[in-house]
């Protein structure tokens, strides 16, 4: 059978011309119609397939190119992924190291500045300022860029006082578990103060304790700390108020809680704790101090406590109150009452306040009693000529170590001062130093206290000393 031109070309590996007729032989020897069969040519440009490109060849070529490009892309992607993974591993290692460095010891010994080496300390509880109805001006402060800028401008101040707050939290977290019946009050106070000094990183007047540790018991509501030789022992049925403070550059954290071991006092503690939280909620920029006191009293006196078969109404101690805090000034001028009828002065932006409440099963009034332990230099007294040499020497010690912050006799003993009582009395008589004797309700009653320090920031209210305990 004779081969056609196309068959010959295929045998020789040649392409058939597009316009060359193809002759097909059939079994009966007749000739079919002449057909034109075109074979698509490959696009030499290597780009997209055109009508004249062999589809199979183009597909093969595209597959090869995709594999090549894909391989390169995968290689690049693989390198990028590896770098990302390496970076993440390094970050994780750093975090692990940081986490390991942030582990506090038991008992606490690592200063909070080492636990937070970047200098950024935990923020307190953030709350909104109370807003009166239809007070659009107050509402705007939360979104005002000017107020936010003012917030940012005070970050250094915020970090200083947050450092003091964190030192307070870590100290009390340990002490709440450490304090047990059978311990002497001196042991409790000196242990607490030793830990607090380590946590704050005590450094002269730049950082340290803001005032002596109060550990007032039962009917005594405030300002008791043991003097040398005091043998008082904590008992199971005691109600103990632990009130201590820390500061950084004079910015004070004043914070207190009440410890009991007998559950019969639970309602008393609940009343005072809720009253303090009510005061915190009511406080804020433009809030009236008297209205805060009224809200506190309403909550406090809604509670009753049953003690040994007798029911007592919990009363707000009307001659104790919260107060504003200034730099190196524990009582900066404004008072926050805990009963109604107080002054109508308003709180202002960027003020610090100690919101503290005292509840009592007694009369609800305190008076000076017992031996004085707390003292503080009068911040408003100027130069006073002193004749007694011992008073001059003691005043120098006070200025160097406490400035206008409160101190106690134990702290003078710790500094090596001796035979100073006459000199201290002379400073008190001259009005240079003020005494703060223990404040007590009637004997046989029980008093409780809770306190937090708040900062009225331009955009919000920050409860600086808030912790997971109270």
């Amino acid at each position: 059978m004779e081969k056609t031109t196309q068959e010959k070309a295929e045998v020789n590996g040649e392409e058939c011309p597009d316009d060359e007729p193809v002759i097909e032989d059939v079994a009966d020897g007749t000739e079919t119609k002449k057909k034109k069969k075109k074979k698509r040519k490959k696009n030499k440009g290597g780009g997209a397939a055109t009508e004249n490109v062999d589809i199979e060849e183009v597909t093969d070529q595209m597959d090869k190119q995709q594999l090549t490009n894909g391989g390169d892309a995968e290689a690049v992607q693989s390198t990028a992924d590896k770098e990302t993974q390496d970076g993440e591993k390094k970050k994780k290692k750093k975090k692990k190291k940081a986490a390991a460095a942030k582990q506090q010891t038991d008992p606490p010994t690592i200063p909070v500045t080492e636990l937070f080496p970047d200098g950024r300390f935990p923020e307190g509880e953030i709350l909104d300022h109370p807003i009166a109805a239809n007070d659009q001006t107050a509402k705007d402060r939360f979104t005002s860029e000017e107020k936010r800028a003012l917030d940012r401008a005070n970050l250094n101040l915020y970090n200083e006082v947050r450092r003091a707050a964190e030192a307070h939290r870590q100290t009390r977290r340990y002490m709440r578990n450490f304090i047990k019946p059978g311990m002497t009050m001196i042991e409790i106070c000196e242990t607490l103060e030793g830990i607090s000094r380590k946590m704050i990183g005590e450094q002269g007047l730049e950082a340290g304790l803001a005032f002596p540790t109060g550990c007032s018991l039962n009917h005594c509501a405030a300002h008791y700390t043991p003097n040398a030789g005091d043998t008082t022992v904590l008992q199971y049925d005691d109600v103990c108020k632990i009130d201590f403070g820390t500061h950084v550059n004079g910015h004070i954290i004043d914070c207190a809680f009440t410890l009991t071991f007998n559950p019969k006092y639970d309602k008393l503690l609940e009343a005072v704790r809720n009253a303090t939280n009510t005061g915190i909620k009511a406080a804020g920029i433009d809030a009236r101090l008297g209205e805060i006191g009224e809200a506190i009293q309403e909550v406090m006196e809604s509670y009753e406590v049953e003690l040994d078969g007798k029911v007592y109404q919990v009363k707000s101690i009307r001659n104790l109150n919260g107060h504003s805090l200034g730099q190196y000034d524990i009582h900066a001028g404004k008072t926050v009452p805990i009963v109604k009828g107080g002054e109508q002065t308003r709180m202002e932006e960027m003020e610090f306040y100690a919101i503290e409440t005292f509840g009592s099963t007694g009369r609800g009034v305190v008076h000076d009693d017992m031996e004085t332990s707390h003292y503080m230099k009068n911040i408003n007294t100027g130069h006073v000529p002193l004749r007694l040499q011992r008073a001059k020497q003691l005043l120098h010690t006070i200025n160097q170590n406490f400035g206008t912050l409160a101190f106690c006799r134990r702290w003078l003993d710790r500094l090596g001062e001796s035979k100073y009582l006459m000199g201290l009395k002379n400073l008190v008589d001259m009005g240079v130093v003020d005494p703060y004797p223990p404040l007590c309700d009637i004997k046989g009653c029980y008093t409780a206290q809770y306190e937090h320090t708040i900062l009225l920031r331009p955009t919000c209210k920050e409860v600086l000393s808030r912790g997971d305990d109270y």
Side-chain angles (χ1 to χ4, degrees):
M1 188 184 300
E2 185 180 357
K3 293 183 179 178
T4 64
T5 306
Q6 184 179 358
E7 289 172 338
K8 292 177 181 177
E10 288 177 357
V11 171
N12 297 327
E14 299 173 359
E15 288 185 356
C16 179
D18 289 348
D19 55 353
E20 185 176 343
V22 178
I23 308 297
E24 292 184 357
D25 293 333
V26 294
D28 57 3
T30 60
E31 188 175 279
T32 62
K33 292 182 180 179
K34 294 180 180 179
K35 296 181 186 177
K36 285 188 178 180
K37 186 175 180 182
K38 294 185 178 180
K39 195 168 185 179
R40 296 182 182 182
K41 295 182 179 178
K42 187 166 84 173
N43 183 359
K44 294 180 181 178
T50 62
E51 190 179 354
N52 295 326
V53 177
D54 188 302
I55 295 174
E56 291 182 0
E57 292 183 8
V58 170
T59 302
D60 290 343
Q61 187 173 356
M62 288 177 67
D63 287 343
K64 290 177 181 177
Q65 186 172 357
Q66 186 175 359
L67 285 170
T68 303
N69 293 340
D72 293 341
E74 285 177 5
V76 172
Q77 184 63 36
S78 177
T79 303
D81 289 345
K82 188 176 180 182
E83 290 177 354
T84 303
Q85 289 174 1
D86 290 343
E88 288 176 355
K89 285 180 181 178
K90 288 179 181 178
K91 287 180 181 178
K92 285 180 180 178
K93 285 181 180 178
K94 286 181 180 179
K95 285 182 179 178
K96 284 181 180 178
K97 287 181 180 179
K102 289 180 183 179
Q103 281 287 25
Q104 184 57 273
T105 59
D106 185 19
T109 57
I110 304 174
V112 295
T113 50
E114 293 182 23
L115 299 177
F116 300 91
D118 60 354
R120 298 179 63 183
F121 298 92
E123 194 175 56
E125 181 187 23
I126 302 300
L127 300 172
D128 290 338
H129 293 292
I131 301 176
N134 302 318
D135 188 354
Q136 189 58 45
T137 304
K139 290 178 183 178
D140 290 343
R141 74 169 51 255
F142 304 118
T143 56
S144 167
E145 184 54 40
E146 179 186 352
K147 298 299 182 184
R148 291 183 179 183
L150 185 57
D151 239 354
R152 292 191 293 271
N154 285 296
L155 282 177
N156 287 338
L157 169 62
Y158 297 168
N159 270 323
E160 285 184 349
V161 74
R162 285 170 186 165
R163 171 185 164 191
E166 182 61 20
H168 196 286
R169 273 190 294 272
Q170 297 214 14
T171 301
R172 74 181 191 240
R173 185 181 296 129
Y174 175 77
M175 292 303 299
R176 284 170 70 86
N177 294 319
F178 173 81
I179 299 172
K180 295 287 188 296
M183 292 181 173
T184 65
M185 305 315 294
I186 285 183
E187 179 187 0
I188 291 170
C189 290
E190 290 188 347
T191 301
L192 186 151
E193 289 165 2
I195 291 173
S196 189
R197 286 187 172 99
K198 290 177 183 175
M199 293 303 96
I200 197 64
E202 187 176 41
Q203 188 177 1
L205 290 175
E206 292 181 14
L209 308 187
F211 52 87
T213 302
C215 55
S216 306
L217 297 173
N218 304 324
H219 71 289
C220 181
H223 295 173
Y224 163 74
T225 197
N227 289 323
D230 190 326
T231 58
T232 304
V233 175
L234 182 66
Q235 304 295 325
Y236 174 76
D237 276 329
D238 284 341
V239 179
C240 180
K241 281 73 64 181
I242 300 294
D243 187 355
F244 71 101
T246 53
H247 81 92
V248 174
N249 289 324
H251 302 297
I252 300 167
I253 290 294
D254 186 358
C255 184
F257 61 93
T258 300
L259 271 181
T260 59
F261 308 97
N262 192 329
K264 69 181 183 181
Y265 302 113
D266 287 354
K267 278 294 179 182
L268 173 62
L269 270 59
E270 182 182 335
V272 182
R273 185 169 55 247
N274 285 348
T276 297
N277 287 331
T278 298
I280 291 169
K281 184 178 179 182
I285 296 172
D286 293 332
R288 295 183 184 275
L289 298 172
E291 292 175 359
I292 296 171
E294 185 175 356
I296 288 171
Q297 184 178 20
E298 183 179 353
V299 170
M300 181 84 78
E301 299 188 353
S302 67
Y303 281 83
E304 292 180 339
V305 55
E306 183 179 344
L307 299 175
D308 303 323
K310 189 174 180 180
V311 177
Y312 300 87
Q313 182 189 28
V314 181
K315 298 176 183 177
S316 289
I317 299 180
R318 60 179 178 267
N319 57 339
L320 289 178
N321 46 62
H323 46 91
S324 58
L325 297 162
Q327 191 171 15
Y328 295 104
D329 188 2
I330 191 70
H331 294 282
K334 292 183 180 180
T335 61
V336 185
I338 61 175
V339 292
K340 63 182 178 181
E343 59 180 300
Q344 296 304 301
T345 306
R346 293 181 185 269
M347 291 180 162
E348 298 178 53
E349 186 176 289
M350 289 304 296
E351 286 183 328
F352 291 86
Y353 282 91
I355 305 295
E356 61 180 320
T357 67
F358 295 84
S360 174
T361 61
R363 292 188 305 159
V365 179
V366 293
H367 58 276
D368 295 350
D369 197 5
M370 306 191 322
E371 185 179 46
T372 301
S373 53
H374 285 54
Y375 297 86
M376 186 167 67
K377 184 181 174 183
N378 191 324
I379 198 169
N380 297 314
T381 300
H383 175 70
V384 175
L386 298 171
R387 294 184 178 180
L388 193 64
Q389 185 61 31
R390 190 68 187 91
K392 292 180 182 179
Q393 294 172 351
L394 185 61
L395 180 59
H396 177 73
T397 298
I398 293 169
N399 287 334
Q400 289 290 106
N401 293 277
F402 315 121
T404 53
L405 296 173
F407 61 94
C408 63
R409 284 162 55 178
R410 280 189 298 105
W411 290 5
L412 292 175
D413 298 336
R414 181 174 177 269
L415 292 171
E417 291 289 336
S418 61
K419 299 180 181 179
Y420 54 78
L421 290 180
M422 185 63 72
L424 184 59
K425 183 181 184 301
N426 183 247
L427 291 176
V428 170
D429 292 342
M430 298 297 291
V432 178
V433 170
D434 292 328
Y436 291 86
L439 300 171
C440 301
D441 202 336
I442 57 173
K443 288 185 178 180
C445 76
Y446 296 94
T447 61
Q449 173 196 16
Y450 278 93
E451 178 181 23
H452 274 300
T453 295
I454 66 172
L455 167 59
L456 305 184
R457 288 168 50 183
T459 58
C460 64
K461 170 175 51 183
E462 183 172 349
V463 189
L464 294 158
S465 53
R466 182 73 80 188
D468 54 11
D469 48 356
Y470 65 92

